[in-house]
Amino acid sequence: MPIREKILIVEDERTISNFMSTVLTSSGYDVLVSASGKEAYTMITSHCPDLVILDLGLPDTDGVRIIRAVREWSQLPIIVVSARIHEKDKVEALDLGADDYITKPFGTSELLARIRTALRHSSKKHMNDTLAQSGIYQVGNLCIDYERHLVKLEGEVVHLTQNEYKIISILGKYAGKVITYDYLLCELWGPGARGNNQILRVNMANIRRKIEKNPAQPRYILTEIGVGYRMAEE
Ligand code: CA
């Protein structure tokens, strides 16, 4: 079953957000909608969308502030939608890390094309190349086999719980990149688990006991203190 990509629409004009919501839903995306900057930022951190469509002129904050805040910890694709025609705003948004820019009014096919491109670039940018080609991620003596859903250490299958496998598989998929605690919590236990780092620490301790020679000095899964975990690259 293909995974449906989740798109967050941040737009205070209801006619426009309704239009986009209808178009995206009928194109097979899961859609979330927010009409304010504050709420949108909360939704980004708690619902982990795959892409954000962001209006720059919001009632409570400027959209560029959201881009700035998100880019401090995430490469989540952001497409800016705005009625502003000034080059300056466009450049500012892109400089801050927006992936693309679309000016109102726009048509359905243009919107969908921009979304497809941004999603494609983001998966290419983040998923490591070896994995994308072989379905296997190998670092040192550790091997994650995504097709068979198992992890091997020095050729031996490591007995992992489902959650332990899920954590390793996410980190391996984005090897080299820091994955935040909240992202992992959200992926494994849903938005309600945000901030519950203890449950993650317990799982990580078990994982390290199983795959690391010296769990106190891990070589495969590194801790980024206060931020998250990072899978080592070759
Ligand atoms: Ca607006």
Side-chain angles (χ1 to χ4, degrees):
M1 195 174 68
I3 300 164
R4 289 161 67 93
E5 279 147 326
K6 208 186 302 171
I7 298 181
L8 170 63
I9 298 169
V10 188
E11 172 63 73
D12 60 316
E13 285 168 68
R14 178 127 342 146
T15 44
I16 297 176
S17 67
N18 283 348
F19 159 71
M20 287 197 281
S21 180
T22 308
V23 168
L24 298 187
T25 305
S26 64
S27 301
Y29 295 107
D30 278 339
V31 175
L32 299 162
V33 179
S34 172
S36 86
K38 233 182 186 161
E39 184 194 49
Y41 189 75
T42 306
M43 287 174 91
I44 290 169
T45 57
S46 60
H47 292 264
C48 311
D50 297 297
L51 181 140
V52 176
I53 298 175
L54 178 67
D55 177 27
L56 288 183
L58 295 167
D60 59 336
T61 182
D62 196 310
V64 294
R65 297 180 66 175
I66 297 181
I67 302 174
R68 196 175 284 132
V70 169
R71 279 296 172 263
E72 285 186 5
W73 55 275
S74 170
Q75 288 306 309
L76 163 70
I78 299 173
I79 298 178
V80 163
V81 177
S82 176
R84 300 174 193 193
I85 48 162
H86 303 296
E87 197 72 357
K88 183 172 82 59
D89 296 323
K90 181 174 167 175
V91 170
E92 188 183 9
L94 293 173
D95 274 350
L96 283 171
D99 295 82
D100 206 347
Y101 193 97
I102 185 167
T103 306
K104 292 175 193 172
F106 52 85
T108 306
S109 52
E110 186 183 6
L111 175 67
L112 290 172
R114 299 291 181 95
I115 289 171
R116 278 195 301 271
T117 305
L119 286 171
R120 195 167 58 235
H121 283 171
S122 84
S123 53
K124 258 195 214 147
K125 207 159 48 191
H126 298 311
M127 198 184 292
N128 64 68
D129 294 342
T130 28
L131 168 59
Q133 280 161 23
S134 63
I136 285 175
Y137 181 65
Q138 173 102 37
V139 55
N141 292 323
L142 185 77
C143 171
I144 310 170
D145 186 333
Y146 284 85
E147 268 162 34
R148 297 164 65 200
H149 290 269
L150 53 84
V151 172
K152 285 183 180 176
L153 186 67
E154 293 169 359
E156 300 279 316
V157 174
V158 181
H159 295 282
L160 298 167
T161 66
Q162 212 173 343
N163 283 338
E164 289 164 3
Y165 173 76
K166 232 169 156 186
I167 292 170
I168 293 193
S169 70
I170 292 169
L171 294 172
K173 193 168 146 193
Y174 301 105
K177 185 176 183 297
V178 183
I179 304 299
T180 62
Y181 298 128
D182 275 353
Y183 182 88
L184 288 168
L185 287 164
C186 202
E187 287 289 308
L188 269 86
W189 292 280
R194 268 187 77 226
N196 187 359
N197 294 357
Q198 182 56 24
I199 189 172
L200 207 50
R201 269 198 293 271
V202 170
N203 274 273
M204 188 52 70
N206 290 333
I207 291 171
R208 284 182 171 148
R209 218 166 17 78
K210 295 173 184 180
I211 66 166
E212 302 280 1
K213 231 174 211 145
N214 179 359
Q217 282 183 322
R219 95 150 268 218
Y220 296 119
I221 299 176
L222 314 171
T223 300
E224 298 288 327
I225 295 165
V227 184
Y229 299 107
R230 185 204 303 269
M231 174 69 78
E233 287 180 292
E234 247 346 321

